[in-house]
Amino acid sequence: GLSFCINPGYSYYIPVAHNYENCPEQIPKKTVLNSLKPVLEDQGIKKIGQNIKYDNIVLKKEGIDLKGISFDTMLASYLINPSRQRYNLDDLSLEYIGSKMISYSEVTSTLPKGSSFASVEIEKACTYSCEDSDVALKLSRIFDNKLEELDLKDLFVNVEMPLLEVLVAMEMKGVK
């Protein structure tokens, strides 16, 4: 599925590929992606994410060229504190927002071994995914100010963020 947050506290989840017993019918993934493609490819609509490079690769594999990427909270957190051991959303949320997030293992703990996220009940997936997008938006605002305070904004905007596209291309092409 896909989750979006436009304003803190207001997130949305579109389930597209959940597959479990008695799973409700969902809009086909192709229909959802075709509907969202103009927005996702619009340079003028800014996109924020946690490890947005990964999302970019997933969308490229679906024929969507994500444009308007303006902020990656994982990348910003690295610039702010390069000595951290982990840059995952759960740790960042706890440290900067003071909020413990629902963990992936909590959402998937009742599933049979080897199951994918598609087996998670839509309601649980919605709560988990919406929290992710909400926290990423909140962190982007905190980190944007921190980058400014630490005089790292220019490095972030003019070097690190443009480098994401290069890394996406390298990962998709591979290295020989």
Side-chain angles (χ1 to χ4, degrees):
L2 298 96
S3 67
F4 304 94
C5 183
I6 298 169
N7 292 307
Y10 297 94
S11 298
Y12 307 91
Y13 182 69
I14 305 171
V16 294
H18 288 271
N19 184 15
Y20 54 87
E21 191 173 328
N22 298 319
C23 181
E25 187 176 345
Q26 299 152 76
I27 301 170
K29 180 170 75 169
K30 186 174 181 154
T31 303
V32 170
L33 292 176
N34 285 340
S35 296
L36 292 173
K37 187 174 181 165
V39 172
L40 295 171
E41 291 185 341
D42 188 329
Q43 183 71 32
I45 300 172
K46 300 301 176 201
K47 285 64 166 201
I48 294 167
Q50 166 78 2
N51 192 13
I52 203 163
K53 175 177 62 87
Y54 173 80
D55 300 317
N56 195 352
I57 290 170
V58 169
L59 290 169
K60 279 191 189 306
K61 290 179 180 177
E62 295 290 340
I64 295 174
D65 190 17
L66 188 62
K67 297 286 185 202
I69 297 172
S70 67
F71 207 94
D72 186 313
T73 54
M74 181 183 282
L75 182 54
S77 67
Y78 173 77
L79 287 178
I80 291 165
N81 184 358
S83 63
R84 281 186 78 94
Q85 293 203 353
R86 296 172 4 149
Y87 298 91
N88 64 51
L89 205 53
D90 297 357
D91 291 346
L92 296 172
S93 176
L94 195 55
E95 180 177 341
Y96 289 95
I97 300 174
S99 175
K100 182 184 179 322
M101 296 181 68
I102 302 162
S103 71
Y104 183 82
S105 61
E106 286 175 272
V107 174
T108 59
S109 64
T110 59
L111 299 177
K113 198 168 190 105
S115 297
S116 73
F117 196 73
S119 300
V120 173
E121 292 176 8
I122 290 174
E123 293 78 18
K124 283 184 179 180
C126 177
T127 302
Y128 171 80
S129 299
C130 285
E131 182 181 51
D132 275 8
S133 57
D134 184 50
V135 167
L137 180 60
K138 289 174 181 175
L139 286 173
S140 72
R141 294 175 178 185
I142 293 167
F143 291 166
D144 191 50
N145 290 331
K146 278 241 182 257
L147 290 168
E148 197 73 52
E149 286 171 22
L150 298 170
D151 199 26
L152 295 170
K153 188 78 181 259
D154 186 59
L155 174 64
F156 179 75
V157 170
N158 296 314
V159 177
E160 298 294 344
M161 288 303 296
L163 185 58
L164 281 180
E165 285 299 321
V166 174
L167 295 173
V168 165
M170 287 173 63
E171 286 187 30
M172 292 195 72
K173 211 45 137 175
V175 179
K176 186 174 180 181

